Amino acid sequence: MNQMTDPLNLAPPTVVDGDPVETNEWRDALLSLIAQQGPARARQILDEMARLARTQRIGWQPELNTPYVNTIAVDQQPAFPGDLAVEERLASLMRWNALAMVVRANQAYGELGGHIASYASAADLFEAGFNHFFHAKSASHGGDLVFFQAHSAPGVYARAFLEGRLSEADLLHYRKELTAPAEGARGLCSYPHPYLMPDFWQFPTGSMGIGPISSIYHARFMRYLTHRQLQNCEARKVWGVFGDGEMDEPESMSALTLAAREKLDNLVWVVNCNLQRLDGPVRGNGRIIDELEKLFAGAGWNVIKLVWGSDWDGLFARDTTGALARAFANTVDGQMQTFAAKDGRFNRDNFFGQNEELARLAQGMTDEQIDRLKRGGHDLVKIHAAYAQAAAHKGQPTVILAQTKKGYGMGTAGQGKMTTHSHKKFDESDLIEFRNRFNLPLTDEQAKGLAFHKPPPDSAEMRYMHEHRERLGGAMPRRETACEVLPVPAIDSYAKFALNADGKEMSTTMAFVRMLGALLKDKTLGPRIVPIVADEARTFGMANLFKQVGIYSSVGQRYAPEDIGSVLSYREAMEGQILEEGISEAGAIASWTAAATSYSVHGMAMLPFYIYYSMFGFQRVGDAIWAAADQRARGFLLGATSGRTTLGGEGLQHQDGSSHLVAATIPNCKAYDPAFAGELAVILDAGMREMLVEQQDVFYYVTLMNENYANPDLPEGAAQGVLRGAYRFGTYGPTDGPRVTLLGSGAIFTEVLKAAEQLAAQGVGADVFSVTSWSELARDGSAQEVNGSEAYLTQLLSSGSGPIVAATDYVRAVPESVRAFMPEARRYHTLGTDGFGRSDTRAALRAHFQVDAQSIARRARASLGLKA
């Protein structure tokens, strides 16, 4: 075998070859096939051999790992289309200004923190994208979506400074968002936060793992828009730059197969493999790039390994025995990190000194040249080649596994060190070393003084930067909110049955589904509605929508469903409207977020309704909901089978007693717990108008019940009270004698009404108020306190008298949230469902938690000093 044609020579050394001559003949045959007919024909033959091997059941399958070298060979690299020297100078300037921004903040205010090392490793990955690939929204392009590695935000600010989008004063107010305006500057948030910088950041990625899953579902939602012929997104890409340590988050990995199954070739991930987490190596005793390659390839992604820079090409060309590849295959990441932290002499002795073959390769190289050998993620030529291949790839999502050094260029101050993630301070010699390392045009005094550097407008660097961004549509990141008003139909057109219920029995879930079905028929609003379920449509009575609007499928329906003759048969279609996400609340909330931010991301308002078991919302994917709030989402979350006593048989894990408590902590979430269909109708109508017509950045959380009971007409003039959080429902019993005030919400309001009737029969009068939103009442009360005015709830309850008893199907902290706004000198008692849930009947559960009618009436009598 001529090893010149097979330089990697990576046959497993533990395998004993019984016939080396025959083995070489097979190898020669394959190499000859590749040389004469090309790689495509070789792949075809190998696929056929693999198929044949499987049919013969010989127990073999190809390894998912490839050698620890670049996927793209030197002769496959496209010509670099830019000015490499200018781009390297620009990247160096970004690094310096980012470093100066963080270090200056810490010199002045040591507790502010900041990250240098992450961006130092990712700078070139960002710059290649900014200069050649990341399209901004323009007249000719819908704009790419870019998810920036959160800890690298300082580098994005540094670029915006050179572009003229941020001033030097702004950089001086990094992580000083409150004090900046008073000093004539803009405060820069630590991580990408659209809520705090609504014209700048598009996506929050600071809660690790949220960005990766969100990027997948955004890419899928773009296909959804295209297939439903609402907007053509075919020319647009979703780019995500994430960390290798971040891949340990379950959310990062949870939707990989969906991306492959949907053939999302509009999706490119760049995983910055700097081999380090916050505390130490990502995989000290293994190789994270190998692990991720196997994971992504197994999930069906196209994998591009970007491991070594151009400086290594000559070494590989001279390596006729495969010594380099074998050495890399036997070097774990913990050792690779050590090589990153040490100098050229150490690497000569400890890497190239492993054997004579490696030592010969390093002959003629100085220690400085060895020290400057770049890893692939720091080589703009190699990065461009990887990005270009990823952008052109069809039929699969692509991941680029780019090896870098954390703290690249920080030298002895932090490159590759265990502590580099937390490194925020530099002494003067460190700054001079950094200046020299990147040939920055700074004097010693400027370097020591951490002076920001911005070349003159007519310099080659500034002209180059602006020209390339202009070709790609302008500056990025950039968040826009221009969106046409989407009219909302009159409430009577879809909810008259609810407003005038006339005592009909129904659950609020049933009422919602009926309203949704009617809204979907509206010619203007209907096509913009996005119903979302996590494999629970039939549970919530939504099966009729399968026929009405269909379930979205990127390939249509390739089978005849088992229930094809049924009026509720399962129907998938490319133009289908329902997003049925399977058993994945994380996936469903990511889809909801993509739809709820479409007004900004795509300039097209969509209205998502995600309905789910309420316990599987804030408790299960609360971090994702918080991230959606950060993105200023607009849409409805419907927490069905809500409360701790309505879902009798399901038990502890399914019974929700806390969602309204968590919802109240999100400033732009309006949470409601309606008891009746009429209340629900008013809430939905107001929410749609607030989000689609007024275009307010709010979203609604509405809890629904599966319990059927008689629904009254909505009382005349009650709509305003419903939206403010409470209204007087009725008066029971005698007008003289002892009186109490009863408050209730949602499923427990019917128990409150029964209690009022019991009290009336016993000679106790009761003023009954339906509370539709405890959190809105609490927010109003807090706001009025600041203004020195009386809270709405205080005014409302002043029309009643006696002690006040409140009951809900949630923990007592929910009704306790309004205690401060009770009228003076009136006692306030709360009943709730603290503790774990149980499996039993509704009646038994309500008696157990003491929120049934008897318990409410008993507490009311006790508050009056009457016998229980």
Side-chain angles (χ1 to χ4, degrees), residues 587-601:
I589 196 66
S591 270
W592 180 84
T593 301
T597 57
S598 178
Y599 75 93
S600 170
V601 177

Side-chain angles (χ1 to χ4, degrees), residues 161-217:
F161 167 62
L162 290 194
E163 291 174 334
R165 301 173 64 202
L166 296 176
S167 68
E168 184 170 320
D170 297 332
L171 297 193
L172 289 171
H173 288 82
Y174 173 59
R175 291 191 172 186
K176 293 177 63 181
E177 297 162 84
L178 296 177
T179 55
E183 297 174 8
R186 178 177 192 173
L188 304 181
C189 51
S190 53
Y191 305 122
H193 290 306
Y195 192 87
L196 299 174
M197 296 179 68
D199 62 338
F200 193 91
W201 294 113
Q202 183 70 267
F203 306 107
T205 52
S207 188
M208 289 190 177
I210 299 298
I213 190 172
S214 184
S215 71
I216 291 173
Y217 280 89

Side-chain angles (χ1 to χ4, degrees), residues 499-788:
L499 298 171
N500 303 308
D502 194 27
K504 293 186 180 67
E505 285 203 354
M506 68 181 92
S507 67
T508 48
T509 299
M510 182 191 306
F512 164 72
V513 173
R514 185 172 172 183
M515 290 181 224
L516 179 63
L519 287 168
L520 284 164
K521 294 175 183 176
D522 185 80
K523 291 184 179 179
T524 303
L525 177 62
R528 303 289 189 90
I529 291 175
V530 185
I532 303 171
V533 291
D535 201 44
E536 293 166 335
R538 295 185 194 276
T539 302
F540 304 134
M542 297 173 65
N544 62 307
L545 298 182
F546 294 165
K547 272 287 185 70
Q548 181 179 339
V549 296
I551 298 163
Y552 171 69
S553 166
S554 61
V555 296
Q557 191 162 30
R558 296 175 173 175
Y559 62 94
E562 171 273 329
D563 59 353
I564 194 169
S566 167
V567 294
L568 302 179
S569 65
Y570 201 79
R571 183 174 77 87
E572 298 187 72
M574 189 175 290
E575 71 281 2
Q577 204 158 340
I578 301 169
L579 291 176
E580 217 292 8
E581 301 298 6
I583 305 175
S584 173
E585 286 82 9
I589 196 66
S591 270
W592 180 84
T593 301
T597 57
S598 178
Y599 75 93
S600 170
V601 177
H602 306 295
M604 171 175 281
M606 303 294 286
L607 184 63
F609 290 90
Y610 170 31
I611 183 170
Y612 55 90
Y613 271 38
S614 63
M615 191 64 158
F616 302 153
F618 291 93
Q619 178 146 328
R620 188 157 190 166
V621 291
D623 195 11
I625 297 174
W626 185 260
D630 192 348
Q631 290 175 80
R632 298 171 172 253
R634 302 173 185 173
F636 287 93
L637 296 174
L638 290 309
T641 60
S642 73
R644 190 148 276 164
T645 68
T646 61
L647 195 60
E650 298 283 358
L652 183 152
Q653 289 288 101
H654 287 59
Q655 293 170 343
D656 166 31
S658 58
S659 65
H660 276 283
L661 194 63
V662 183
T665 67
I666 302 179
N668 51 346
C669 173
K670 292 191 172 184
Y672 288 90
D673 185 33
F676 300 121
E679 297 172 354
L680 173 62
V682 168
I683 293 164
L684 292 182
D685 179 71
M688 289 189 291
R689 295 183 187 284
E690 190 171 10
M691 291 183 278
L692 301 177
V693 179
E694 300 171 22
Q695 299 194 4
Q696 296 297 309
D697 295 341
V698 297
F699 66 98
Y700 277 55
Y701 173 59
V702 185
T703 41
L704 305 174
M705 281 72 71
N706 62 344
E707 182 178 359
N708 290 316
Y709 45 72
N711 274 244
D713 294 353
L714 184 73
E716 187 73 26
Q720 184 182 11
V722 168
L723 297 177
R724 295 194 71 173
Y727 66 96
R728 173 184 281 275
F729 184 83
T731 301
Y732 294 74
T735 56
D736 55 358
R739 298 194 66 76
V740 295
T741 295
L742 302 181
L743 310 180
S745 68
I748 299 303
F749 190 63
T750 57
E751 299 294 329
V752 170
L753 295 180
K754 293 174 189 175
E757 292 170 352
Q758 289 181 18
L759 290 168
Q762 297 165 1
V764 176
D767 300 297
V768 179
F769 294 83
S770 175
V771 176
T772 53
S773 177
W774 300 96
S775 56
E776 287 301 294
L777 291 174
R779 287 173 181 173
D780 169 83
S782 297
Q784 297 308 321
E785 276 189 337
V786 172
N787 297 331

